[in-house]
Amino acid sequence: MKNIDTDVLIVGAGPVGLTLAMDLVSRGVKVAIVEIRDYAEPPNVKCNHVAARTMERFRRLGVAHKLRATGLPEDYPNDVVFRTRMTGTELSRIPIPGRGERYASTDGPDTWWPTPEPPHRINQIYLEPVLLEHTAALEGVTLLNRTRLTSFTQGPEAIEATALDLDSETFRKIRCRYLVGCDGGSSSVRKAIGAKLEGTAVVQRVQSTYIRAPRLRSLLPGKPSWCYYSVNPRRCGTVFAIDGSQTWLVHNHLNPDEPDFESVDRDWSIRQILGVDADFEYEVISKEDWVGRRLVADRFRDRNVFIAGDASHLWVPYAGYGMNAGIADALNLSWLLAARLQGWGEESILDAYEAERQPITAQVSHFAMNHAAKMIKARSAVPANIEEPTPEGAAARDRIGREAYELNVEQYCCAGLNFGYYYTGSPIIVGDGESPPEYSMGGFTPSTVPGCRAPHFWLSDGRSLYDAFGAGYTLLRFDASLDIEGLQAAAASRRVPLRVLDLGGEKVPEAYKHKLVLCRDDQHVAWRSNVVPADPIALVDMLRGVRAELKS
């Protein structure tokens, strides 16, 4: 079989690997992807949420509008509702607009967000085909389906990999500069580089079943929802609408004293969660049982081989930050690899990937695990009288409804995890002594402290701030009288891409208190000041990975 020579070899064509490929190709980097599945083979029914930060990048990659056009029907509400049973009494509701109203609605706790691209509720069975079709059509991508990476060796100039075609049982050689394992929780790449997952192996078990139940929607009272949470003393579970009509994903949350997936009767549990009797008919399409964990790899890199997504971290996917955290890994790594391949980044610029992403994934995993512990406690404390038609039962329903809303609104409307996380200890971020503001799962404070996400605002010409960002770095200048020729010349001398964006008539968030704010391609602030540095070459060198002390 024909051998391949490429810049980056990606192992795994799930959402993380496909996003990495799209982003690299947008920077002129050649990519090959090996994937053991057939082309367009349906993925598992999981990952029901695309975060705002992910959608922001999909916007810049030209795929956001394609994703918005699929998933649940346009007029289907994305609400999260808490009931005694899916078909039972409503306890409380988190309003979330459907995709038809997503840009215009002001009704809901996530409609105020400072972003050009709000979240999108869509299952991976609809998401992945859009990403795959888009990626496969890009010039510079070689997609090898039904192919397994069998081995690789790292040399001083390149990685030599061997891949097996699973249909013909023949091998081919793939020569690349960098290799990235996006090959899931059982990652062969992670094992090959000797990285180990560390943390809590079992946080909870979920008996998950993908069903077809055409009659179910007609039994649901009131306004439909994307997510239904059933709260009763017999079973607590979550049901996600997949197509908005006939297909549903039922999560039966096993209790701590139920040690395996067959600890309880699956059919009985589903009926208790749905609130239907023995005569109700449904079809099991597939069983999607999973274990919630809190595991983070002890390292994300071995020289020119990297891991991303589930290959590097696994945790309970509360707030949707399983797949979305993996995509954030890919976007962080992509621009660093491109900087090196384009020649303006030093080899040490790649150290920023692990230095930035590993601490963040550890933080997010703790958020998720702590929330899981609260949910386990709540499920064990459901009042026995919650379904009784008595004043005491009504009082119990009122209390549980309020508690369920307060506990869960921050995970389903997780502004903090979208916009609050920041990078510290990075070799390519220039701090100025101010600490980034703390954030929670649901809350954050916009900030331009280096390492934080550059707060969003709309430009006077109607574009998003991020639409105007260039590849590499973008300098926001809020005072046009400042002479920045020295900084521009320094960037040009080192071939560092630097776009200057002069701002004047825009309504700018209060967080922008400096006249100069230098932003990275991934929307994080790298440096800020009211004056051009005395030694602009030193600043530019730090931004491209040179270890040096910057003097003001």
Side-chain angles (χ1 to χ4, degrees):
M1 301 186 73
K2 183 180 179 182
N3 293 336
I4 294 173
D5 198 325
T6 191
D7 294 323
V8 179
L9 172 60
I10 299 171
V11 183
V16 175
L18 292 172
T19 301
L20 177 60
M22 284 191 293
D23 205 66
L24 285 169
V25 169
S26 75
R27 305 170 192 280
V29 175
K30 290 193 303 180
V31 171
I33 312 172
V34 295
E35 166 61 52
I36 61 173
R37 293 175 294 166
D38 281 316
Y39 182 83
E41 180 178 328
N44 290 338
V45 184
K46 58 181 181 179
C47 305
N48 290 288
H49 171 71
V50 184
R53 285 292 296 272
T54 303
M55 290 300 292
E56 286 174 357
R57 192 66 200 192
F58 285 158
R59 174 190 180 98
R60 295 178 67 187
L61 291 171
V63 75
H65 66 288
K66 296 180 182 179
L67 294 173
R68 294 277 184 203
T70 190
L72 290 169
E74 186 175 50
D75 60 350
Y76 194 97
N78 285 184
D79 295 0
V80 177
V81 67
F82 302 89
R83 291 180 175 165
T84 54
R85 293 163 291 152
M86 186 180 177
T87 57
T89 303
E90 187 162 318
L91 307 174
S92 58
R93 177 181 290 261
I94 301 172
I96 300 173
R99 60 184 175 91
E101 302 175 323
R102 185 67 263 197
Y103 290 111
S105 177
T106 58
D107 180 24
D110 71 348
T111 57
W112 60 270
W113 286 3
T115 176
E117 291 291 344
H120 182 42
R121 263 72 185 181
I122 178 176
N123 191 272
Q124 189 170 333
I125 64 172
Y126 301 114
L127 167 77
E128 189 175 302
V130 174
L131 299 182
L132 178 63
E133 181 180 13
H134 185 89
T135 304
L138 295 173
E139 185 176 351
V141 172
T142 300
L143 179 59
L144 304 173
N145 284 98
R146 296 286 298 156
T147 302
R148 173 180 284 118
L149 178 75
T150 57
S151 65
F152 62 84
T153 57
Q154 297 197 61
E157 300 297 327
I159 296 170
E160 301 286 346
T162 301
L164 172 66
D165 183 287
L166 298 175
D167 293 325
S168 66
E169 297 185 346
T170 55
F171 292 90
R172 77 166 85 221
K173 299 292 185 181
I174 303 175
R175 189 175 191 270
C176 58
R177 179 81 174 273
Y178 299 104
L179 186 152
V180 185
C182 304
D183 50 341
S186 58
S187 171
S188 64
V189 177
R190 182 186 67 239
K191 294 169 185 175
I193 66 173
K196 297 179 180 179
L197 292 173
E198 299 177 339
T200 305
V202 179
V203 176
Q204 69 177 84
R205 290 180 175 86
V206 178
Q207 190 189 68
S208 186
T209 314
Y210 182 34
I211 67 172
R212 179 175 289 105
R215 287 186 50 232
L216 182 57
R217 184 170 174 180
S218 67
L219 301 179
L220 299 174
K223 183 182 177 183
S225 295
W226 160 67
C227 174
Y228 297 82
Y229 197 97
S230 293
V231 183
N232 65 63
R234 298 173 302 282
R235 292 314 301 176
C236 291
T238 312
V239 183
F240 293 97
I242 302 302
D243 67 358
S245 175
Q246 299 189 33
T247 54
W248 314 83
L249 184 62
V250 184
H251 288 341
N252 174 29
H253 304 287
L254 299 186
N255 298 318
D257 61 350
E258 297 168 342
D260 58 65
F261 294 126
E262 302 308 320
S263 294
V264 293
D265 182 84
R266 186 180 298 264
D267 175 71
W268 175 84
S269 298
I270 290 173
R271 294 182 187 279
Q272 297 304 317
I273 292 167
L274 301 183
V276 296
D277 58 27
D279 294 330
F280 180 82
E281 295 181 356
Y282 68 89
E283 172 194 353
V284 174
I285 302 173
S286 62
K287 296 178 181 180
E288 306 287 339
D289 302 341
W290 53 274
V291 177
R293 312 180 188 277
R294 194 207 72 78
L295 299 171
V296 179
D298 58 354
R299 55 196 178 104
F300 288 12
R301 176 191 182 190
D302 173 25
R303 292 167 288 170
N304 292 332
V305 177
F306 301 81
I307 53 175
D310 285 355
S312 55
H313 43 75
L314 291 163
W315 55 73
V316 184
Y318 282 117
Y321 266 75
M323 177 192 73
N324 288 288
I327 288 176
D329 294 342
L331 297 175
N332 180 283
L333 180 59
S334 176
W335 82 279
L336 297 172
L337 291 175
R340 185 62 187 142
L341 288 163
Q342 291 163 1
W344 60 267
E346 290 293 307
E347 187 66 28
S348 53
I349 198 173
L350 299 176
D351 295 341
Y353 175 62
E354 185 175 280
E356 294 178 357
R357 290 306 302 166
Q358 190 179 44
I360 292 300
T361 55
Q363 288 177 36
V364 172
S365 71
H366 280 293
F367 276 135
M369 189 173 80
N370 291 342
H371 190 83
K374 293 176 183 177
M375 293 294 289
I376 291 170
K377 182 178 179 181
R379 287 194 291 271
S380 66
V382 177
N385 64 349
I386 194 171
E387 297 175 286
E388 292 180 0
T390 63
E392 293 77 15
R397 289 189 291 275
D398 180 68
R399 176 177 63 82
I400 293 299
R402 284 185 283 105
E403 291 176 355
Y405 182 94
E406 292 167 3
L407 177 59
N408 286 282
V409 68
E410 68 172 5
Q411 71 140 325
Y412 288 111
C413 302
C414 50
L417 290 190
N418 272 274
F419 312 123
Y421 71 80
Y422 50 81
Y423 297 138
T424 58
S426 171
I428 58 172
I429 289 175
V430 184
D432 57 10
E434 184 177 345
S435 298
E438 294 299 319
Y439 67 98
S440 64
M441 184 182 285
F444 78 107
T445 301
S447 176
T448 61
V449 170
C452 292
R453 167 186 181 265
H456 180 262
F457 58 90
W458 295 98
L459 303 180
S460 55
D461 61 8
R463 289 182 299 164
S464 161
L465 169 67
Y466 308 140
D467 293 341
F469 275 15
Y473 291 94
T474 299
L475 180 66
L476 310 184
R477 181 166 61 166
F478 295 93
D479 182 352
S481 68
L482 279 176
D483 183 1
I484 58 171
E485 287 188 6
L487 184 55
Q488 289 177 296
S493 71
R494 296 294 199 257
R495 297 189 298 128
V496 174
L498 177 64
R499 176 176 293 180
V500 177
L501 193 60
D502 280 315
L503 301 159
E506 291 79 9
K507 184 179 179 180
V508 177
E510 293 181 359
Y512 287 98
K513 300 175 182 178
H514 294 72
K515 296 178 181 179
L516 298 173
V517 179
L518 187 62
C519 303
R520 309 186 330 183
D521 179 80
D522 66 353
Q523 301 169 195
H524 286 265
V525 176
W527 170 85
R528 63 180 182 174
S529 182
N530 285 314
V531 297
V532 176
D535 186 354
I537 284 287
L539 172 61
V540 169
D541 278 348
M542 283 193 68
L543 297 177
R544 64 191 191 92
V546 176
R547 305 294 173 86
E549 187 70 28
L550 182 65
K551 297 180 180 179
S552 58

